[in-house]
Amino acid sequence: MQQRSSTVQEPPGAVPAHRPTPPPAWQPRTDPAPLLPDAEPLRVLGTDAVADADPALLLRLYTELIRGRRYNTQATALTKQGRLAVYPSTHGQEACEVAAALALEERDWLFPSYRDTLAAVARGLDPVQALTLLRGDWHTGYDPHEHRIAPLSTPLATQLPHAVGLAHAARLKGDDVVALAMVGDGGTSEGDFHEALNFAAVWQAPVVFLVQNNGFAISVPLAKQTAAPSLAHKAVGYGMPGRLVDGNDAIAVHQVLSEAVARARRGGGPTLVEAVTYRIDAHTNADDATRYRASAEVETWRAHDPILILERELTERGLLDEDGRREAAEAAETMAAELRERMNADPVLNPMDLFSHVYAEQTTQLREQAAQLRAELEAEGEA
C-alpha cells in the first residue's frame, strides 16, 4: 500500500518555516568615493595653486629637467655611435622621472623600469652606472643596497611585486621605509600589476605605484589596452586611492607623489598614481614610431613640454632669468660631456665576473662552471 507523504502542504504564497532568514542588505567594506580619482588630471602650473609652491623646489625641478633632457639626448646619441646597445628615452616624460626621485627620502627605495634610468640618475646614481645594463656590460651596473635603487627591470611590471615585498618586510621590521614603483601604461596589462596592487592593498604595504601613461605600449595605444575611465580608476577595485595628475606638470607630480609617500609612511597604505604624459621619442632607438602615430599628435604634445611650461612659470614670477637659464644649460652640458667621454672609453671586462653576485654562496654547479672558464682563459692566454 502506498504510504502518505509526511511533507506538510503549505498554502500558496506562504513562507516555509525551514527557509533561512535573508541576510541584511549588503554593504561595501570600504566607501569607494574617497578612493576615486579626480575627473581631470591635477594641474598646478598655470593655476592659482602655483602661488603656494616653494620657489626653491621649482628652481630645483627646473635644473633637474634641463639636466634630464640633456641626459636623454646624449644617451640617444650614444646608441647611434654604437656605445649603447639600446636606449628607451624619457624625452617628454622628464617631469615624472625627476619628481619621483625628489619625492623620496634617502632611506626609501625606488623600483624603476628599464625606461627609468633618468629617475635613477636624478636620485643620485652615476649616469654611467645607470647605462651599464643598456650597454651590455653588467646585469645591473650598480649596488642596489648602496643607492636604494632596485635593478632596472626589463620584464614588464615584475618590479612591482618586488616593491610590495620590500615595503611589507620593512614595515614588519619597524623600518620607516616607503617603496616607489614605476611602470608604464603597458605594464598595467600584466598580471604582475594586478598581483602587486592586490597584495599591497590587503597588507596595507607602504608603497606608491606610479604609472607613466605615455600613450603607447610600444605601438599599442591605451584604448586597446583598457576600457577603464582612467588607469587611476583601477585603484578602486583593489581598495586603494587613485590619483590622476598631469605628468608634464613637474610640481603637480611632485605634490601628488609626496602626499602619497607621506600617507604610506604614516601607515595609510598604498596609492596608485597615474601621470598622463607623452613619449616624444620612439619606444627605443630600434623603433619606428611613425608607423603607428601621426606627427601632428607629437607636435601637439611638444607644446605641452614639461620644461617649457615650468620655464614660463618661473620667468613670469621673476624666479628665472637669462643667467639662470645659462647656468642650468652649462651644468647639463658638463654632465653630458663627462658622460660622453667616459662612455667612449672601452670597458675593461673580466669574464669571471659572470659568476659574481649570483648567489651569496656559489652553488656546486657555479663553482664547476667557473673552474672550466678559468681553465679555458688560462689556456687561451698561454696560446
Side-chain angles (χ1 to χ4, degrees):
M1 183 175 67
Q2 184 178 9
Q3 293 183 345
R4 181 177 298 177
S5 172
S6 62
T7 303
V8 178
Q9 299 296 319
E10 299 170 341
V15 178
H18 63 274
R19 183 175 298 177
T21 304
W26 176 83
Q27 295 292 330
R29 286 174 292 176
T30 303
D31 180 7
L35 306 181
L36 288 168
D38 294 332
E40 295 290 333
L42 175 70
R43 295 182 177 86
V44 173
L45 295 175
T47 72
D48 294 339
V50 76
D52 299 327
D54 180 7
L57 176 59
L58 289 172
L59 286 170
R60 186 181 179 191
L61 286 168
Y62 175 76
T63 301
E64 290 293 340
L65 289 180
I66 294 295
R67 182 170 176 256
R69 177 64 55 82
R70 188 66 185 90
Y71 169 80
N72 271 315
T73 304
Q74 185 59 67
T76 300
L78 289 170
T79 64
K80 299 177 181 179
Q81 299 164 6
R83 290 297 179 180
L84 278 182
V86 66
Y87 182 66
S89 174
T90 50
H91 185 132
Q93 300 177 218
E94 291 93 346
C96 297
E97 299 284 307
V98 169
L102 299 189
L104 295 174
E105 299 290 341
E106 184 176 352
R107 61 188 180 277
D108 297 329
W109 274 78
L110 179 70
F111 282 77
S113 74
Y114 60 91
R115 190 176 297 279
D116 302 316
T117 53
L118 175 54
V121 170
R123 185 157 166 76
L125 184 62
D126 180 349
V128 173
Q129 290 184 331
L131 294 174
T132 302
L133 170 68
L134 303 174
R135 193 178 189 178
D137 294 345
W138 277 80
H139 294 301
T140 299
Y142 55 88
D143 183 350
H145 291 278
E146 177 185 354
H147 301 283
R148 298 286 176 125
I149 302 173
L152 296 167
S153 178
T154 301
L156 290 184
T158 56
Q159 73 275 19
L160 304 186
H162 298 165
V164 176
L166 182 140
H168 181 55
R171 192 183 65 166
L172 292 177
K173 292 174 61 179
D175 292 342
D176 188 17
V177 169
V178 174
L180 192 156
M182 305 177 71
V183 69
D185 51 289
T188 66
S189 297
E190 296 290 326
D192 300 80
F193 176 82
H194 159 79
E195 293 156 5
L197 268 68
N198 193 56
F199 280 129
V202 170
W203 291 336
Q204 288 293 282
V207 58
V208 177
F209 301 98
L210 172 59
V211 179
Q212 295 180 81
N213 177 8
N214 63 21
F216 294 89
I218 305 183
S219 61
V220 180
L222 183 65
K224 292 187 177 181
Q225 293 187 69
T226 180
S230 74
L231 294 174
H233 277 80
K234 292 180 180 289
V236 182
Y238 298 101
M240 69 177 69
R243 299 294 306 275
L244 188 61
V245 63
D246 182 345
N248 287 17
D249 186 332
I251 191 65
V253 180
H254 184 272
Q255 175 183 314
V256 169
L257 291 179
S258 297
E259 291 172 355
V261 168
R263 177 178 179 275
R265 200 183 306 282
R266 63 175 179 264
T271 302
L272 174 63
V273 178
E274 177 189 356
V276 181
T277 182
Y278 195 79
R279 192 189 74 210
I280 295 296
D281 287 347
H283 175 68
T284 69
N285 54 292
D287 173 42
D288 180 9
T290 62
R291 299 178 60 185
Y292 54 83
R293 66 183 187 184
S295 58
E297 178 180 304
V298 179
E299 292 306 314
T300 298
W301 277 93
R302 286 188 190 276
H304 193 56
D305 184 284
I307 293 178
L308 292 180
I309 61 176
L310 179 55
E311 188 174 74
R312 184 185 307 123
E313 186 70 43
L314 291 172
T315 302
E316 291 177 355
R317 294 182 62 180
L319 298 174
L320 183 68
D321 55 17
E322 287 301 323
D323 289 339
R325 293 187 185 89
R326 185 176 62 255
E327 289 176 4
E330 289 176 353
E333 193 57 47
T334 298
M335 178 274 302
E338 181 182 349
L339 175 60
R340 185 168 57 248
E341 179 181 359
R342 293 173 62 195
M343 290 294 290
N344 282 337
D346 292 330
V348 179
L349 302 178
N350 182 359
M352 296 305 300
D353 287 338
L354 285 170
F355 305 97
S356 302
H357 313 298
V358 180
Y359 292 98
E361 295 182 9
Q362 285 193 348
T363 63
T364 301
Q365 292 85 354
L366 278 181
R367 288 196 297 269
E368 292 174 352
Q369 293 170 15
Q372 180 181 350
L373 178 58
R374 186 178 298 107
E376 293 176 356
L377 292 173
E378 291 174 354
E380 185 178 298
E382 294 175 357

